[in-house]
Amino acid sequence: MARAFDVVVIGAGPAGYIAAIRSAQLGLSTACIEKWRTPDGQYALGGTCLNVGCIPSKALLESSENYERARHKLQAHGVTLSGVSFDLQVMLARKNQIVRKMASGIAGLFKKNKVTWLQGHGQFVSGGTTWKLEVEGEHGSEAIEASHVVVATGSRARHLPDVPVDNKIICDNEGALEFDSVPERLGIIGAGVIGLELGSVWRRLGSKVHILEALPDFLGAADEAIAQEAWKIFTREGELAIELGVNVASIAKGKAGVSVAYKCADGKAATLACDRLIVSIGRVPNTEGLGADKIGLKIDAKGFIEVDKNCRAGLPRVYAIGDVVRGPMLAHKGEDEGVMVAEIIAGQHGHVNYDAIPWVMYTMPEIAWVGKTEQQLKSEGIAYRSGRFPFAYNGRALGRDESEGFIKILADAATDRILGVHAIGSLASELIAEAVVAIEFGASSEDIARICHAHPSLSEVMREAALAVDQRSLNG
Ligand code: FAD
Ligand code: NAI
């Protein structure tokens, strides 16, 4: 007889494994199907985020930044080092060890919470009073039944048509986290988050990085002032060369590397010759082989599973969460949807506040924001006041020798409620948490201005930006 569960989650990335753990915490018998295999053939939990995304990229960002500090930034502190070098194999091994440690951590959490991990590819077979699924694993297939199904199959890198990715010379995120040597000339297609983060890693380690971006504007999703500041910093002499408004015509791989023929923004033809190429032009949802057609699961024109605001997928007791549905492709967005659907399945009132999801780019300096950008407020005709404060006036930032950038707070002109907070600067990824709490609790800029912030700390920049909304910054 088929094993039956209250909840079956397909996919154990951050959306799926959190949905499974929360379901089990709420007393539901839960299984999670995951097919991911490591290069040595072991089944692994954690999805894109843990295996080839958030975690390994941040490990390499940290290692490469340490090298950059040792080479260029410690002298200002009076620390002189000579003969600074790095061992790429050690960096990669450290990254892989963090990934392994966290993957076994999730396996431990599954055990602790009594989530059954079904190893293999999962798909719908048919519907009825319960959903019938099949798991195709190493040792054959198993039929299972579920009262509720949560689809959390995630996404994969979008590739250019007719440009095969071998993940050695032409790479997506997977190969770009595994280069066995530092390419002298690194080409990147797409100046989005991956292009900037992984471009920074390899630039710090010695690559000459050239990024080709199709859009005429840099970082179109970010607040314009932040994007302008980022452009100024990232494109300095010796940093990233970024060309906007290009049209890639063809890509050819030869013995000497890769040649990218493209049209510049002014219409002139150009060629980029590089040793390796990263294609980072966004991601596409995973719905192939899911059996969606067998049960009538609706998929939209862009390949996302159609869901309502509570991630219900239009069929009884079927939900979809994370990268496979609309919204930002961010791990924490998927995690929050995982908690929401588990709580709804258990009869509670789970919800996600999509207006309070932070964005972070782990560049140097970091970029982080939550809420609306200034251009969004303008286009929506919302009257607002804006306050901005630079890190350059902050003692902690100066002490850290990381005083570039600013925080900007946008507040409703009539009510002073905070509508958006935008930061570029040291540890913006951590500072943004205060703004997320403020937006979640409907705080005003005056609330932040009246809260005591530790001195000296970077968080004082947040308070000063809040004071600046009312044109009464105290330190600038
Ligand atoms: P995924 O993590 O993609 O997991 C889906 C899982 O489902 C996979 O393990 C897959 O094997 C499995 N699966 C698919 N189909 C089936 C099936 N039929 N049967 C069984 N299993 C199946 N986000 C951030 O918030 N912060 C970051 O710093 C960040 N950095 C990133 C860096 C890189 C290089 C990349 C590529 C992404 C990054 N992201 C980051 C995005 C983040 O990784 C994704 O938003 C997140 O992984 C989505 O989670 P998910 O659970 O929806 O899907
Ligand atoms: P992205 O959407 O961030 O950027 C892709 C860029 O490629 C865009 O600027 C787009 O205009 C450009 N582009 C598209 N087609 C092109 C073409 N043919 N030629 C030239 N440029 C082209 O996608 P990216 O960087 O691949 O990352 C995928 C997703 O992963 C992100 O959207 C994000 O959700 C997630 N991610 C999040 C991170 C974080 O939170 N720190 C880090 C890395 C990835």
Side-chain angles (χ1 to χ4, degrees):
M1 219 174 85
R3 281 197 276 177
F5 300 89
D6 295 329
V7 180
V8 167
V9 182
I10 310 177
Y17 87 74
I18 289 292
I21 289 174
R22 187 71 189 122
S23 298
Q25 279 178 348
L26 291 164
L28 300 159
S29 66
T30 305
C32 186
I33 312 172
E34 176 55 68
K35 65 177 176 184
W36 193 283
R37 291 202 200 210
T38 58
D40 59 1
Q42 304 293 313
Y43 280 106
L45 299 167
T48 304
C49 168
L50 176 52
N51 293 287
V52 291
C54 324
I55 301 302
S57 60
K58 267 80 253 181
L60 290 183
L61 278 156
E62 201 64 38
S63 297
S64 59
E65 181 57 23
N66 278 339
Y67 177 59
E68 175 109 327
R69 272 194 196 109
R71 281 212 316 161
H72 300 299
K73 299 185 178 171
L74 293 182
Q75 293 91 325
H77 295 262
V79 179
T80 41
L81 299 170
S82 57
V84 176
S85 63
F86 66 89
D87 183 333
L88 182 59
Q89 298 318 317
V90 172
M91 275 186 197
L92 295 176
R94 173 184 174 274
K95 169 202 68 136
N96 293 340
Q97 203 216 336
I98 293 169
V99 170
R100 272 198 302 275
K101 189 172 176 180
M102 294 198 69
S104 68
I106 302 172
L109 289 171
F110 272 15
K111 240 190 204 147
K112 178 178 148 198
N113 289 285
K114 301 193 173 52
V115 173
T116 304
W117 173 12
L118 302 171
Q119 299 179 335
H121 178 98
Q123 63 169 307
F124 285 100
V125 175
S126 61
T129 43
T130 59
W131 294 103
K132 306 215 173 359
L133 298 107
E134 183 186 77
V135 185
E136 185 72 45
E138 208 170 35
H139 306 294
S141 77
E142 180 186 355
I144 55 163
E145 291 183 14
S147 304
H148 302 83
V149 181
V150 180
V151 181
T153 47
S155 67
R156 63 187 183 281
R158 187 155 82 84
H159 292 168
L160 286 162
D162 306 322
V163 181
V165 163
D166 59 16
N167 271 328
K168 296 263 180 282
I169 302 296
I170 300 181
C171 303
D172 58 23
N173 57 297
E174 301 203 14
L177 290 161
E178 283 294 333
F179 290 163
D180 53 3
S181 61
V182 178
E184 209 175 302
R185 302 162 304 166
L186 174 62
I188 299 181
I189 316 264
V193 205
I194 294 182
L196 294 175
E197 287 189 358
L198 295 183
S200 302
V201 166
W202 296 107
R203 198 243 348 123
R204 291 169 192 161
L205 298 180
S207 295
K208 266 185 112 159
V209 178
H210 196 128
I211 308 183
L212 301 176
E213 164 61 45
L215 292 179
D217 297 319
F218 181 56
L219 289 182
D223 187 90
E224 270 169 14
I226 297 282
Q228 276 166 18
E229 183 79 0
W231 176 265
K232 212 171 71 195
I233 297 171
F234 299 163
T235 61
R236 278 187 194 134
E237 188 63 34
E239 303 239 339
L240 303 172
I242 308 175
E243 269 188 84
L244 302 175
V246 311
N247 192 341
V248 173
S250 66
I251 297 178
K253 194 167 79 172
K255 278 205 182 107
V258 187
S259 171
V260 182
Y262 63 99
K263 216 180 239 174
C264 306
D266 62 8
K268 285 194 187 126
T271 307
L272 171 68
C274 50
D275 304 303
R276 281 183 173 155
L277 184 72
I278 300 176
V279 179
S280 50
I281 55 168
R283 298 181 63 80
V284 287
N286 291 325
T287 55
E288 296 72 24
L290 189 59
D293 45 339
K294 292 184 197 144
I295 57 157
L297 187 63
K298 280 206 186 119
I299 293 174
D300 72 16
K302 289 188 172 160
F304 292 98
I305 295 176
E306 283 183 18
V307 288
D308 68 9
K309 69 178 185 356
N310 293 124
C311 291
R312 291 178 216 267
L315 294 168
R317 295 166 279 104
V318 178
Y319 300 79
I321 58 174
D323 278 12
V324 78
V325 302
R326 84 287 178 263
M329 287 181 159
L330 297 173
H332 43 280
K333 174 262 191 187
E335 290 180 25
D336 281 15
E337 288 177 337
V339 171
M340 169 176 74
V341 299
E343 292 181 349
I344 290 173
I345 290 168
Q348 299 185 355
H349 300 280
H351 84 289
V352 172
N353 179 0
Y354 288 97
D355 294 331
I357 294 176
W359 291 71
V360 176
M361 289 186 201
Y362 295 82
T363 44
M364 182 55 91
E366 293 178 346
I367 295 174
W369 75 86
V370 58
K372 305 237 185 215
T373 61
E374 203 159 339
Q375 59 268 28
Q376 278 172 329
L377 292 177
K378 279 183 187 146
S379 77
E380 290 170 24
I382 298 170
Y384 62 92
R385 292 193 301 163
S386 166
R388 175 168 159 167
F389 198 81
F391 283 90
Y393 298 165
N394 176 269
R396 187 81 204 284
L398 289 168
R400 290 170 60 82
D401 203 18
E402 289 181 359
S403 57
E404 287 189 307
F406 58 86
I407 295 182
K408 180 166 104 172
I409 296 185
L410 304 167
D412 188 283
T415 65
D416 193 35
R417 188 183 176 127
I418 296 174
L419 303 172
V421 177
H422 304 272
I424 176 165
S426 184
L427 294 180
S429 58
E430 302 293 334
L431 295 173
I432 203 65
E434 179 178 12
V436 178
V437 172
I439 289 198
E440 186 68 47
F441 282 72
S444 62
S445 76
E446 186 174 354
D447 287 328
I448 301 258
R450 287 188 180 278
I451 290 169
C452 188
H453 288 68
H455 177 76
S457 73
L458 299 171
S459 71
E460 289 171 291
V461 179
M462 188 70 79
R463 184 195 207 177
E464 290 284 358
L467 284 162
V469 171
D470 202 33
Q471 296 185 334
R472 55 189 178 96
S473 293
L474 293 165
N475 286 286

